[in-house]
Structures are given as C-alpha cells and as structure tokens.
Amino acid sequence: GENVEQHPSTLSVQEGDSAVIKCTYSDSASNYFPWYKQELGKRPQLIIDIRSNVGEKKDQRIAVTLNKTAKHFSLHITETQPEDSAVYFCAASQGNTDKLIFGTGTRLQVFP
Amino acid sequence: DAGVIQSPRHEVTEMGQEVTLRCKPISGHDYLFWYRQTMMRGLELLIYFNNNVPIDDSGMPEDRFSAKMPNASFSTLKIQPSEPRDSAVYFCASSLAPLVEQYFGPGTRLTVT
C-alpha cells in the first residue's frame, strides 16, 4: 500500500524567512496531494492541493511542487508569519482509491 | 452551514465500557471519513462511506470497532469494549466528491482509563 514520509518533523524559522517541508510517496498511481494545517487543539484544514497533471501551484505565500518521477512533493511558505506556526500534514491518494494516506506531520514554529 | 458536527467533544470512560462517537456531515456531502489521531501513529483513516455505504474499513483496528451511517446526515463510530490504547482524538470529515477538500469536524478527545 501507499507509504508517505514527511520531513522534517520540526522546523523553526525566523519571521520573514521561508519554510520548506518535503514528502515522498511510494505508490506511482497516486494522483492527488493535499496539504493540511492543524493549529494546536484545532481541526486539520486544507491549505493547498495539487494533482498529478500539474507540477506547481501557488496561492499567495504558499506553493506546492510535485515531482512525479522522483515521487516527492514539497510545501513552500514564503515570508513566514507567527500565525503560520502549526503542524502541517502532507497526504497522497492511495492508488486508484478515494483514500488519503497522511504523512506524520511537521511542527513549524515561526519566531517573531 | 455549521460545518461538520461531532459529539461529544470529550469522553472519559473506563476500560471495558462501550463508547459511541457521533458525526453530522455537511449537508450535500457524499463522502464521510472517520480518522484517529495519536502522537505515535499520526492521522489514520479508519473507515469511509460514499452515499451512506461503507466503502473501505481496512483501517478499523479490530472487531471492537464498528461504524454505521444510517442516513446522509448521521454517522456513528462505536468501540466495544474500549481499551486504554483506544485513547486518541477521533475526527470525522466529509467531502462533496472523492479526492477533493475534506472538511474536518472539531474532533472527539477520547480517554479510556
């Protein structure tokens, strides 16, 4: 089955710097890759997603890149702000199913 | 819409007791997912439904866990008997279609002593 690995597990940056979180997946049939943000004690919320027919997608300070050949995708946050502090989860669809397999999460801390 | 609603928000029970978690998805959403979140195992999919029909329950840890969706606006996840290792946050999520944004409920924090 699908396996999703996420790195790093924790990331600390200064406000204004960029943050990059990387994920790898194992199932070449995966075609949907969302990123969720979970603030402390809250529910996960989608921040951006990408499908396998697209290599890059941007939404203001957030971007996601996908390399299908290498089976990895990354989340890029530019000009980080303290409110970006949260746990970020990547996910990949499992083969030709409707299921998502989540990575283990990255705790991002942005220091003022 | 009020979003996905879950109850109770917190549940503390003793080992061996039956626990029932409840979820009301967003109206019109055809997909409903139950997840379990722990520090050790992260966010795991337990089971999901499409149009009230269970599609994949391969994530249900064992026979002590069962889930139902009797209609489009209500689902339950039952644990009987509960064990301390079942302690976790259980999320319900719903989506309009497959492989699009999933909207999570606030979660139920379950503690089994």
Side-chain angles (χ1 to χ4, degrees):
Chain A
E2 175 72 283
N3 183 43
V4 178
E5 294 190 359
Q6 184 171 348
H7 299 280
S9 57
T10 60
L11 180 59
S12 296
V13 300
Q14 201 77 32
E15 182 178 1
D17 288 348
S18 295
V20 180
I21 302 170
K22 300 181 180 180
C23 288
T24 60
Y25 61 98
S26 59
D27 190 340
S28 58
S30 296
N31 57 13
Y32 177 62
F33 308 90
W35 287 87
Y36 282 80
K37 174 184 179 182
Q38 186 177 25
E39 296 178 1
L40 188 62
K42 301 291 182 65
R43 71 194 78 186
Q45 291 186 292
L46 180 76
I47 55 171
I48 196 167
D49 56 10
I50 193 168
R51 299 188 186 273
S52 57
N53 59 346
V54 176
E56 183 176 3
K57 185 176 179 180
K58 289 183 180 180
D59 183 4
Q60 299 183 346
R61 296 186 297 107
I62 294 173
V64 57
T65 58
L66 172 64
N67 183 327
K68 286 186 63 180
T69 303
K71 295 197 191 75
H72 68 68
F73 55 113
S74 300
L75 178 71
H76 305 252
I77 306 174
T78 59
E79 300 173 24
T80 54
Q81 302 167 1
E83 52 264 39
D84 294 329
S85 297
V87 178
Y88 291 81
F89 293 94
C90 64
S93 59
Q94 182 174 35
N96 294 318
T97 74
D98 301 332
K99 294 166 58 171
L100 290 179
I101 306 301
F102 282 83
T104 50
T106 296
R107 181 173 300 280
L108 173 65
Q109 289 183 298
V110 181
F111 292 97
Chain B
D1 202 312
V4 176
I5 299 172
Q6 290 186 247
S7 65
R9 295 293 308 278
H10 302 274
E11 178 79 39
V12 180
T13 190
E14 292 184 347
M15 183 174 62
Q17 296 297 306
E18 177 180 297
V19 175
T20 300
L21 311 182
R22 298 173 175 78
C23 175
K24 176 178 167 50
I26 293 173
S27 177
H29 282 195
D30 289 337
Y31 283 78
L32 184 139
F33 306 84
W34 281 101
Y35 291 94
R36 178 172 67 176
Q37 186 174 39
T38 62
M39 289 295 293
M40 291 298 295
R41 302 177 66 89
L43 202 56
E44 304 172 276
L45 177 66
L46 300 177
I47 185 172
Y48 76 96
F49 297 81
N50 177 22
N51 290 320
N52 314 337
V53 176
I55 303 301
D56 190 322
D57 66 354
S58 59
M60 298 286 260
E62 46 198 276
D63 293 344
R64 297 185 296 107
F65 286 69
S66 62
K68 294 182 180 180
M69 193 165 185
N71 57 62
S73 59
F74 184 65
S75 177
T76 59
L77 178 68
K78 185 177 293 186
I79 308 173
Q80 166 65 17
S82 58
E83 297 182 2
R85 59 192 167 124
D86 301 331
S87 297
V89 179
Y90 291 81
F91 286 104
C92 173
S94 70
S95 66
L96 269 172
L99 301 183
V100 297
E101 181 172 5
Q102 293 183 16
Y103 294 83
F104 284 75
T108 295
R109 182 173 295 277
L110 173 65
T111 303
V112 183
T113 61

